[in-house]
Amino acid sequence: DAMVIQNPRYQVTQFGKPVTLSCSQTLNHNVMYWYQQKSSQAPKLLFHYYDKDFNNEADTPDNFQSRRPNTSFCFLDIRSPGLGDAAMYLCATSSEGLAVNNEQFFGPGTRLTVL
Amino acid sequence: GQNIDQPTEMTATEGAIVQINCTYQTSGFNGLFWYQQHAGEAPTFLSYNVLDGLEEKGRFSSFLSRSKGYSYLLLKELQMKDSASYLCAVEGSARQLTFGSGTQLTVLP
């Protein structure tokens, strides 16, 4: 089945220790997104790629970076995780221009714990 | 700016009908989505409205009034598995989806 895959599902890191979360998709969608979701809060868009074009949200901290080496993969790098970065990180994809609506398909998420 | 409001919690009984409201003020509008999210899981797509009116999809319906900045999600014949958070999200401009904080629905037997 075509899908959005996130690895790992659970990630534990130490305060200040860089961590990378990964996302892959078999949907061949041209847009990929990273969201941060804290408990009982709305998913908050960090950035997205439209093909290779990187789009950063204005309030996304510099501590968060992203890479998209090809259509299928996208990575979220947190350079120096703080305790406040503990959250669920959701990857999503959409096929802009190819679908009736720009429905976003979400991966299962990676829950990040910072010790 | 973007502002999306929905009730924090709702409770309903199995077999009943529940309506979850959402109001929004956004700088642009390309469509409104409803997503379902079970605890610890990813949001899953339920419905999409871009024109005024009602969209029906099985037990779920969604309504939109663009002039009023208002939408609702209607769930019929509630089942226990419908207990989840329901997120209203507005696409203000291309690829910019802003989510509400979600309405936690509890379905009681």
Side-chain angles (χ1 to χ4, degrees):
Chain A
D1 288 340
M3 58 199 313
V4 182
I5 303 160
Q6 289 187 246
N7 286 306
R9 294 292 308 277
Y10 300 90
Q11 176 73 57
V12 180
T13 191
Q14 292 178 326
F15 183 92
K17 185 175 180 181
V19 66
T20 295
L21 310 182
S22 71
C23 176
S24 63
Q25 53 130 341
T26 60
L27 297 161
N28 202 33
H29 285 171
N30 55 346
V31 190
M32 294 187 77
Y33 309 79
W34 278 106
Y35 290 88
Q36 179 194 63
Q37 187 178 27
K38 297 187 178 181
S39 181
S40 301
Q41 295 184 21
K44 179 181 177 301
L45 182 64
L46 295 173
F47 25 59
H48 74 275
Y49 274 93
Y50 179 69
D51 291 325
K52 294 183 180 180
D53 294 335
F54 176 71
N55 298 269
N56 198 34
E57 291 301 296
D59 56 353
T60 298
D62 292 339
N63 197 25
F64 291 86
Q65 304 286 320
S66 186
R67 296 171 283 135
R68 189 180 186 185
N70 53 52
T71 301
S72 301
F73 286 86
C74 195
F75 300 98
L76 170 62
D77 301 308
I78 308 176
R79 291 191 297 186
S80 182
L83 298 179
D85 297 327
M88 175 76 88
Y89 289 87
L90 296 166
C91 174
T93 72
S94 68
S95 59
E96 183 168 318
L98 301 177
V100 173
N101 64 59
N102 290 331
E103 175 189 344
Q104 293 187 18
F105 294 78
F106 285 83
T110 295
R111 182 164 296 282
L112 178 68
T113 300
V114 181
L115 300 176
Chain B
Q2 319 283 69
N3 190 40
I4 298 175
D5 289 314
Q6 50 181 131
T8 304
E9 295 177 332
M10 295 184 74
T11 302
T13 305
E14 194 174 13
I17 299 173
V18 70
Q19 177 175 313
I20 303 174
N21 296 323
C22 171
T23 58
Y24 62 91
Q25 299 95 38
T26 58
S27 54
F29 184 83
N30 281 348
L32 187 142
F33 295 79
W34 283 95
Y35 281 83
Q36 180 191 63
Q37 187 176 28
H38 286 98
E41 298 182 12
T44 56
F45 171 79
L46 289 178
S47 68
Y48 171 73
N49 295 71
V50 66
L51 300 176
D52 289 353
L54 189 68
E55 294 283 340
E56 297 188 76
K57 205 174 180 182
R59 293 190 299 116
F60 295 79
S61 304
S62 57
F63 172 83
L64 175 68
S65 169
R66 287 173 300 171
S67 62
K68 295 181 179 177
Y70 168 70
S71 173
Y72 67 73
L73 178 69
L74 193 71
L75 293 80
K76 302 176 186 175
E77 301 169 17
L78 280 175
Q79 303 174 9
M80 299 297 289
K81 67 178 182 180
D82 297 329
S83 292
S85 182
Y86 290 85
L87 301 165
C88 174
V90 173
E91 187 175 9
S93 59
R95 293 170 258 124
Q96 299 294 316
L97 200 61
T98 301
F99 284 86
S101 297
T103 298
Q104 184 62 47
L105 174 67
T106 301
V107 180
L108 300 174

